[in-house]
Amino acid sequence: MLALVMFSMGCTVEIKKFWGHIKRPWGIAVGFLCQFGIMPLTAFVLSLAFNIHPVQAVVVIIMGCCPGGTSSNILAYWVDGDMDLSISMTTCSTLLALGMMPLCLFLYTKRWVDSSSIVIPYDSIGIALVSLVVPVGFGMFVNYKWPRQAKKILKIGSITGGVLIVLIAVIGGVLYKGSWDIAPELWILGTLFPAAGFLFGFLLAYLSNQSWSRCRTVSLETGMQNTQLCTTIIQLSFSQSELALMFTFPLIYSIFQILFAAILLTGEAFFITHYPDESLSSLTGPYNDLFLAVKGIDVLYMF
């Protein structure tokens, strides 16, 4: 299902623009600094500030060292971000994670644990990279050869992707409901951390003179982490007694990163609805779909 969603996301990407980001990777460089500079450092500072249990501090830092998740690509589409930049950032961060994750974990976790005890599932990262690159590549090809059909595929895939994100969060919450009794500090960290990622990502992109579309994209790519990879790492690296203290944090982070992204999307919809004269003339893609849906016009066309 995820591969099909990423195939549809690939239908938004133009080969020429995508290759332009690779040849002139200024936006990717900003995203790299956010992903492997700001996020691990923020995780480290928050862990120190809240003085949490050592294994809990480690899971927070592992989350901060993970690459961006594919859910950021779906949400970037819905907030009218730069999809070419979004896809290229996710691809590059996943590839660079093979080297940057061990380095960041070594730098930031040695205060609490021996970083060599943390097992990094390189096979999972490789699978994630393949499951991203291959379907997106097919989507790019479809967009190049049959652009009209690509738009239809995109509409279906974007809605399916949004439903899938929410469904995964709900199922995870139900399956692990017995693990919700955790320290209040982790709840607070699970709220603050993604919010800080969104904010710092946007600010750094803005200060580097990126367009508003790219600012939104970098913000989402920074705040939306690969929580599934974080969960896999802690399952491989820690005992059952330690997992009881930390296992719920990736799910908390996942819920709040989706919540903050939903707030951003709602804010965009509110602006479009209440200020149509200022914004309607420039609406394209998902904004136009969203405007029609909110106004109750041609809802069936959107779905």
Side-chain angles (χ1 to χ4, degrees):
M1 180 65 76
L2 181 59
L4 292 174
V5 171
M6 294 315 300
F7 165 68
S8 69
M9 292 296 102
C11 290
T12 66
V13 179
E14 297 180 22
I15 296 175
K16 187 175 181 179
K17 291 182 178 179
F18 180 82
W19 185 242
H21 284 299
I22 302 299
K23 291 174 65 177
R24 296 180 294 277
W26 180 236
I28 295 175
V30 173
F32 171 82
L33 181 58
C34 293
Q35 195 71 65
F36 297 112
I38 289 177
M39 290 300 281
L41 179 60
T42 301
F44 180 75
V45 171
L46 287 174
S47 298
L48 289 178
F50 283 87
N51 194 29
I52 54 180
H53 192 280
V55 295
Q56 293 174 337
V58 171
V59 72
V60 174
I61 292 172
I62 291 173
M63 179 63 72
C65 295
C66 284
T70 53
S71 55
S72 62
N73 306 131
I74 300 168
L75 292 167
Y77 170 77
W78 281 109
V79 299
D80 202 26
D82 186 329
M83 288 302 298
D84 303 283
L85 176 61
S86 178
I87 296 292
S88 59
M89 281 182 62
T90 303
T91 303
C92 291
S93 70
T94 304
L95 179 62
L96 292 171
L98 294 169
M100 291 305 300
M101 281 194 72
L103 176 61
C104 291
L105 290 172
F106 171 76
L107 292 174
Y108 291 109
T109 62
K110 58 185 179 181
R111 178 185 177 91
W112 295 283
V113 297
D114 180 4
S115 61
S116 62
S117 65
I118 301 175
V119 179
I120 299 177
Y122 292 103
D123 55 343
S124 296
I125 298 175
I127 292 170
L129 187 61
V130 171
S131 63
L132 170 67
V133 172
V134 173
V136 167
F138 277 114
M140 291 168 64
F141 177 75
V142 170
N143 189 32
Y144 175 74
K145 294 289 289 185
W146 305 285
R148 293 183 62 182
Q149 287 80 357
K151 291 180 180 179
K152 296 177 182 179
I153 295 171
L154 176 60
K155 288 181 181 295
I156 297 171
S158 61
I159 296 170
T160 303
V163 172
L164 189 62
I165 290 173
V166 175
L167 191 61
I168 290 173
V170 171
I171 292 174
V174 173
L175 288 178
Y176 300 107
K177 61 181 179 181
S179 304
W180 289 109
D181 186 18
I182 58 173
E185 292 84 357
L186 280 189
W187 280 101
I188 299 172
L189 280 172
T191 306
L192 292 179
F193 195 10
F198 288 128
L199 177 61
F200 291 147
F202 185 90
L203 288 177
L204 186 59
Y206 178 76
L207 292 173
S208 61
N209 201 31
Q210 299 295 302
S211 66
W212 285 106
S213 177
R214 290 189 177 188
C215 287
R216 290 194 296 270
T217 303
V218 173
S219 175
L220 284 171
E221 291 292 331
T222 304
M224 302 290 290
Q225 297 291 84
N226 191 331
T227 55
Q228 294 88 351
L229 179 59
C230 178
T231 300
T232 301
I233 291 173
I234 63 175
Q235 285 178 314
L236 293 174
S237 305
F238 298 96
S239 65
Q240 289 297 321
S241 59
E242 291 172 324
L243 284 175
L245 297 172
M246 66 198 310
F247 189 71
T248 311
F249 181 76
L251 185 57
I252 295 173
Y253 188 100
S254 179
I255 290 172
F256 280 102
Q257 72 177 4
I258 294 170
L259 179 61
F260 287 126
I263 291 172
L264 175 62
L265 180 59
T266 303
E268 297 286 356
F270 178 84
F271 178 82
I272 292 168
T273 305
H274 290 80
Y275 302 97
D277 294 336
E278 289 81 357
S279 58
L280 185 57
S281 61
S282 62
L283 292 180
T284 59
Y287 273 168
N288 187 50
D289 295 339
L290 192 59
F291 177 80
L292 294 175
V294 173
K295 296 295 286 184
I297 303 173
D298 203 12
V299 175
L300 291 177
Y301 171 73
M302 180 180 177
F303 288 96

